Amino acid sequence: MQGHDPACYVTVIGGHRKTRFSNFDAEVDAHYAWSSWPCAQKDLSAADTIRILVATDSHVGYAERDAIRGDDSWKSFHEVMCLAKEKDVDMVLLAGDLFHDNKPSRKAMFNVMRSLRMNCYGEKPCELEMLSDSSEVFEGAFNHVNYEDPDINVAIPVFSIHGNHDDPSGDGRFAALDLLQAAGLVNYYGRTPEADNIQIKPVLLQKGNTKLALYGMSNVRDERLYRTFQDGKVKFFRPSTQKQDWFNIISVHQNHYAHTETGYLKESFLPDFLDMVIWGHEHECLIDPKYNPEMNFHVMQPGSSVATSLAPGEAVPKHVAVLSITGRDFSVETIRLKTVRPFVIREIVLSEEETAVKVAKKANNRTELTVFLTRIIDDMIKQAYEEWKAAQGDEEEADDEHPPLPLIRLRVEYTAPEGGNFDCENPQRFSNRFTKKVANIKDVVQFYRKKAGGTKRAQNGAEMPEESMLASLAIDSVKVDKLVREFLAAQSLTILPQNSFGDAVSQFIDKDDKHAMELFVTENLSKQVEQLMQMDKLDEDNIRNAMEDGKSHLEELFASGHRHTRKKTKRKPRPEEWDSDFNGAWDDQPAAIVRSDLEDEDEDDSDEPAAKSTAKGRGKAAPNKAAGPIKKTAPAKNSRSKKKVVESEDEEEDEDVVMIDSDEDESQLFVKPEPSRRGTRKVAPAKASGPKRAPARATATKAGKQSQLNFSQPTTQPRGATKKVQEVSDDDISDDDDDAFEPAPSARSSRSRR
């Protein structure tokens, strides 16, 4: 490692100080401000400058089934990668959510791999020198940086953490980034395998005399991360030598603002030896670094490269940045993306619009109001095209290229003034008027009404949030977990835990886990039932208290990070004719599920007594009580056979009677009679008085009646299940065909053929 004489360092702000962080084990040196220079700083040249293209939240695969917007996400990502090659940067830094789903489609994966290969591979040598131990910062089969792999030629390495959309899941806990790393396209770093004990080690890089310590912390659920920082379980590692020579940069993917009390990452939680924080997850583009005087570092929030919701933050022009680092100095070049679909959002209050107030006093004013709103949206479409042309830069090129259909959102507050009324058209019908004019033809307009005071009640009497709150919590402007919390704040659950309920809804919506709610309800109900069954006395007085205690216990377990992992749901094999590209993944289909886990558990419990009762009759009986070939003689009174069947004297009785010896276990008395199944062996019982012939009946002597009887053994039978021995009624056997039946083989001989 190259370095300077420590005596050459001076600082503009102040001298050296020591700081002990409550969240870290070791004492660390507080860094000098980024304006502090070594004496030899003026000698650093372009050969000592590390150029990094910074981007985040590409969300490749978002709305890929949309006929108009299906290609937006990967086109903007491809532009980002093309800019990296055009600007000749040394590396690309992505701060999470490269993919919109943690199980991206083949189309999404193909487009990402194509863009990476087209722009990152090449003959240009990578000038970055890897100084840290690769095995400590990169995991997996290929635990080394990809540009040092002798089998591939990487010109521009890509470093990325995972976000909340493309996080690891499934068997092996693999993320989509693991596939890209195995292919040599991405360096996946900043993993957080233990959310309650996080250790962050930097990737140490050097170019000339500039040293870069690249930290990364992939997404962790905000509430758990908040608690982990408070418990002092987050530890940052620093280089052991020349600490003041390193430019320290970290990528995070968390909530930046306090959506809830603990649902975000405080900037004060991060150590103050950092120089730059790249903040992912927030989609609003705040590309210019913002200085935090308390922590003495800068924060850059690049935002997303594609609009995933019709919210005001998404309407801000999208940018990426080229961060140039020379020694301890840095500069930022912002670049506006040109392939992003134009988006204009506006909000109006009809009671404050002069034209709308005049319309409100008229009866049947729907037509005039629709014309008024249509005029506003036409102006917004024109504004979107003008902004898109301005973003293209070259006016001649912009005139030749056809602009894409814009995204338009008009929020209308339609509370009528006193004595008036606003007759608004159906929002979807109104939006369909702009087909072939806008990209979002289903939700151009959003009507809402503000009400001051009072709470809304549902039909069951539960309190609901105010309508104004519901309007502000529109699905396109807020996360689902926040919406769930607002509803649960107005009413409480009695049996199910509230904190994990919001997490299950988030898994269902954000991760497209179609079985999240089913598993949540089944798992928690089974735990509640298990706890209630363990109580000695259970009456109406204490059952509610018991359920409240059980719910509180489940909430405490979830809050402490102990999440019960259920066994994998049983699924049928995928049909050969199933097309996953058109019909979706077979495992996500309801028809693929064999049965729920709770049903399996109930079946296992109900089979235990049957297994005990059949253990003696299925080849485990005493030798002197083994069943021989069935003969038409009365069985011995005290002999123990596999099943003892006694024929009822009533000829119309259809059920079989299962007799059990008195010395058998008492639990075997609870054997439920099973309905006759096709393929079950039917044996005519022996009688002491010989065969009894019944007169032939018209209903029992139809042609082919006896040919439907099946004496073969069933092909499959659950292990431990009670084998049903049924008698053949004499009414089903005519006088003419008595000799048509051969004596049935014994249970021992039939067992040997299996």
Side-chain angles (χ1 to χ4, degrees):
M1 295 175 56
Q2 302 178 6
H4 304 286
D5 185 356
C8 295
Y9 281 89
V10 294
T11 179
V12 178
I13 295 179
H16 183 74
R17 62 186 175 92
K18 289 281 187 177
T19 304
R20 177 175 292 276
F21 297 97
S22 60
N23 295 329
F24 311 104
D25 294 340
E27 188 176 43
V28 297
D29 290 327
H31 81 303
Y32 288 93
W34 68 276
S35 58
S36 302
W37 313 104
C39 295
Q41 184 74 37
K42 59 183 181 181
D43 298 333
L44 299 180
S45 60
D48 302 305
T49 301
I50 300 178
R51 291 166 51 81
I52 308 172
L53 188 138
V54 180
T56 183
D57 291 89
S58 298
H59 285 274
V60 177
Y62 171 75
E64 61 183 350
R65 294 183 181 272
D66 190 291
I68 301 175
R69 306 166 62 187
D71 295 335
D72 288 2
S73 59
W74 71 261
K75 284 183 177 179
S76 59
F77 174 74
H78 184 65
E79 181 186 4
V80 172
M81 299 312 301
C82 290
L83 286 172
K85 186 175 183 179
E86 177 185 341
K87 297 295 183 179
D88 193 25
V89 298
D90 294 301
M91 58 177 285
V92 176
L93 181 60
L94 304 178
D97 280 356
L98 172 58
F99 294 98
H100 185 68
D101 299 313
N102 59 2
K103 295 181 290 186
S105 65
R106 296 178 185 177
K107 178 182 178 181
M109 182 63 73
F110 168 78
N111 285 312
V112 168
M113 296 180 72
R114 183 187 64 169
S115 297
L116 291 173
R117 183 167 180 174
M118 289 174 60
N119 297 284
C120 296
Y121 283 4
E123 297 181 355
K124 186 194 81 168
C126 181
E127 300 180 15
L128 297 176
E129 181 183 0
M130 185 75 176
L131 301 180
S132 58
D133 186 358
S134 298
S135 61
E136 293 186 356
V137 291
F138 301 112
E139 300 179 8
F142 302 91
N143 55 355
H144 57 268
V145 70
N146 62 347
Y147 62 82
E148 292 183 353
D149 194 315
D151 298 325
I152 54 179
N153 228 2
V154 177
I156 303 176
V158 178
F159 294 83
S160 178
I161 62 175
H162 76 250
N164 61 309
H165 279 262
D166 53 3
D167 56 337
S169 63
D171 295 338
R173 301 291 298 172
F174 291 111
L177 293 177
D178 283 300
L179 302 181
L180 298 180
Q181 178 172 342
L185 297 171
V186 165
N187 299 293
Y188 178 21
Y189 80 111
R191 302 170 190 249
T192 52
E194 298 181 47
D196 299 327
N197 183 22
I198 300 176
Q199 297 184 353
I200 302 177
K201 298 181 180 180
V203 178
L204 302 180
L205 303 172
Q206 182 173 352
K207 180 182 178 182
N209 293 318
T210 299
K211 300 178 179 63
L212 175 65
L214 181 62
Y215 294 84
M217 183 173 63
S218 294
N219 177 262
V220 179
R221 194 166 62 88
D222 291 286
E223 290 78 8
R224 291 189 66 179
L225 184 62
Y226 193 99
R227 185 174 58 255
T228 304
F229 269 104
Q230 283 188 326
D231 295 341
K233 295 296 183 65
V234 181
K235 184 178 180 180
F236 288 80
F237 290 80
R238 297 190 64 185
S240 58
T241 59
Q242 300 178 335
K243 294 182 179 180
Q244 283 96 25
D245 291 352
W246 295 88
F247 188 90
N248 303 286
I249 184 172
I250 186 173
S251 297
V252 298
H253 192 96
Q254 306 291 151
N255 284 336
H256 199 179
Y257 308 104
H259 298 286
T260 61
E261 185 178 354
T262 61
Y264 72 110
L265 174 62
K266 290 183 178 181
E267 292 184 5
S268 59
F269 280 161
L270 300 175
D272 64 356
F273 66 80
L274 296 173
D275 298 289
M276 176 71 69
V277 179
I278 307 300
W279 211 291
H281 187 61
E282 299 289 349
H283 284 204
E284 183 178 4
C285 182
L286 303 174
I287 196 67
D288 296 323
K290 184 178 179 180
Y291 179 66
N292 186 330
E294 179 185 355
M295 303 304 299
N296 204 23
F297 55 61
H298 287 75
V299 179
M300 178 190 293
Q301 183 176 301
S304 65
S305 58
V306 61
T308 60
S309 64
L310 302 180
E314 297 278 17
V316 179
K318 307 291 187 182
H319 291 78
V320 294
V322 176
L323 177 64
S324 300
I325 303 172
T326 306
R328 298 296 303 277
D329 185 19
F330 73 88
S331 62
V332 177
E333 176 190 359
T334 61
I335 305 172
R336 182 170 180 178
L337 299 178
K338 299 180 179 181
T339 58
V340 178
R341 189 177 296 275
F343 177 26
V344 175
I345 185 171
R346 189 180 301 176
E347 182 173 358
I348 63 172
V349 180
L350 290 181
S351 60
E352 299 177 0
E353 299 288 334
E354 182 179 355
T355 304
V357 172
K358 295 179 180 179
V359 172
K361 298 179 180 180
K362 300 179 181 180
N364 300 325
N365 55 15
R366 175 176 295 187
T367 302
E368 295 185 49
L369 186 60
T370 301
V371 172
F372 171 72
L373 297 177
T374 301
R375 191 182 305 116
I376 296 178
I377 292 179
D378 288 337
D379 293 340
M380 296 172 66
I381 295 175
K382 186 181 299 183
Q383 176 187 347
Y385 284 141
E386 291 175 355
E387 292 179 357
W388 181 84
K389 290 181 180 180
Q392 303 307 309
D394 191 352
E395 295 184 359
E396 296 182 358
E397 183 179 352
D399 293 337
D400 296 338
E401 188 176 355
H402 184 71
L405 297 178
L407 295 170
I408 302 296
R409 167 52 68 90
L410 178 63
R411 300 187 75 243
V412 181
E413 201 284 315
Y414 67 104
T415 302
E418 186 176 357
N421 179 50
F422 290 124
D423 187 8
C424 299
E425 189 177 10
N426 179 275
Q428 186 169 357
R429 186 182 306 166
F430 179 85
S431 301
N432 289 336
R433 295 175 179 269
F434 302 94
T435 303
K436 297 185 179 180
K437 292 184 179 181
V438 300
N440 55 316
I441 59 175
K442 295 182 180 180
D443 48 9
V444 173
V445 65
Q446 180 187 17
F447 295 107
Y448 71 98
R449 180 180 296 171
K450 292 183 179 179
K451 287 185 178 180
T455 56
K456 185 178 179 182
R457 288 184 174 272
Q459 295 180 356
N460 58 358
E463 292 184 356
M464 304 292 287
E466 297 179 6
E467 192 167 350
S468 59
M469 183 181 296
L470 295 178
S472 62
L473 294 177
I475 195 65
D476 56 0
S477 62
V478 75
K479 296 188 177 299
V480 176
D481 54 353
K482 183 178 180 181
L483 185 63
V484 172
R485 283 193 297 268
E486 293 293 343
F487 274 90
L488 293 180
Q491 56 183 338
S492 60
L493 300 178
T494 305
I495 301 176
L496 301 176
Q498 295 190 184
N499 52 1
S500 55
F501 176 77
D503 181 73
V505 175
S506 179
Q507 293 286 332
F508 179 80
I509 299 296
D510 297 336
K511 306 299 177 60
D512 197 24
D513 187 353
K514 295 180 174 59
H515 310 293
M517 297 304 300
E518 176 192 357
L519 294 179
F520 164 75
V521 175
T522 303
E523 174 181 322
N524 289 283
L525 284 182
S526 62
K527 290 181 179 179
Q528 286 278 33
V529 171
E530 181 181 355
Q531 180 175 350
L532 293 176
M533 294 298 293
Q534 293 176 356
M535 297 181 60
D536 296 334
K537 295 181 180 180
L538 191 63
D539 51 33
E540 295 182 0
D541 296 334
N542 58 8
I543 186 172
R544 180 175 295 274
N545 295 332
M547 289 190 297
E548 287 290 343
D549 295 341
K551 187 190 76 169
S552 301
H553 178 65
L554 293 175
E555 291 177 347
E556 292 175 0
L557 289 178
F558 183 83
S560 61
H562 295 83
R563 301 179 62 180
H564 177 65
T565 304
R566 293 183 55 83
K567 61 182 181 181
K568 192 173 181 180
T569 305
K570 296 181 180 180
R571 288 180 171 85
K572 300 177 183 178
R574 187 182 66 178
E576 296 181 358
E577 65 275 5
W578 186 268
D579 194 330
S580 299
D581 292 336
F582 291 96
N583 301 324
W586 168 251
D587 290 344
D588 296 337
Q589 305 301 317
I593 302 176
V594 176
R595 64 184 68 185
S596 66
D597 292 343
L598 184 60
E599 293 175 350
D600 289 339
E601 294 171 3
D602 294 342
E603 182 181 354
D604 293 341
D605 295 340
S606 63
D607 284 348
E608 289 180 0
K612 293 179 181 179
S613 63
T614 56
K616 297 181 180 180
R618 298 186 68 88
K620 296 183 180 181
N624 58 340
K625 299 180 181 180
I630 297 178
K631 301 179 181 180
K632 294 184 179 181
T633 58
K637 181 177 182 180
N638 295 327
S639 63
R640 182 179 301 175
S641 60
K642 184 177 180 181
K643 285 289 186 297
K644 295 181 174 58
V645 183
V646 178
E647 178 185 355
S648 175
E649 295 296 330
D650 188 358
E651 295 182 356
E652 296 181 359
E653 184 177 353
D654 295 331
E655 284 189 341
D656 295 338
V657 180
V658 179
M659 302 296 293
I660 303 179
D661 291 348
S662 58
D663 58 343
E664 291 284 282
D665 187 76
E666 186 175 333
S667 63
Q668 300 180 18
L669 294 176
F670 301 97
V671 179
K672 299 179 180 180
E674 297 182 359
S676 59
R677 291 179 290 183
R678 185 180 179 186
T680 302
R681 182 178 173 182
K682 302 179 180 181
V683 183
K687 301 179 183 179
S689 58
K692 178 180 178 181
R693 297 186 180 181
R697 298 182 181 179
T699 58
T701 56
K702 295 181 180 179
K705 176 70 176 182
Q706 299 176 29
S707 61
Q708 297 178 3
L709 297 175
N710 187 359
F711 292 90
S712 62
Q713 294 290 338
T715 55
T716 59
Q717 187 173 354
R719 188 175 185 85
T722 303
K723 184 176 179 180
K724 194 69 180 176
V725 181
Q726 298 180 349
E727 63 171 324
V728 180
S729 174
D730 292 341
D731 296 339
D732 293 337
I733 306 176
S734 64
D735 295 337
D736 299 333
D737 296 331
D738 258 354
D739 298 334
F741 296 97
E742 296 291 340
S746 64
R748 181 180 298 276
S749 59
S750 61
R751 175 75 173 178
S752 62
R753 290 197 298 271
R754 292 187 177 182

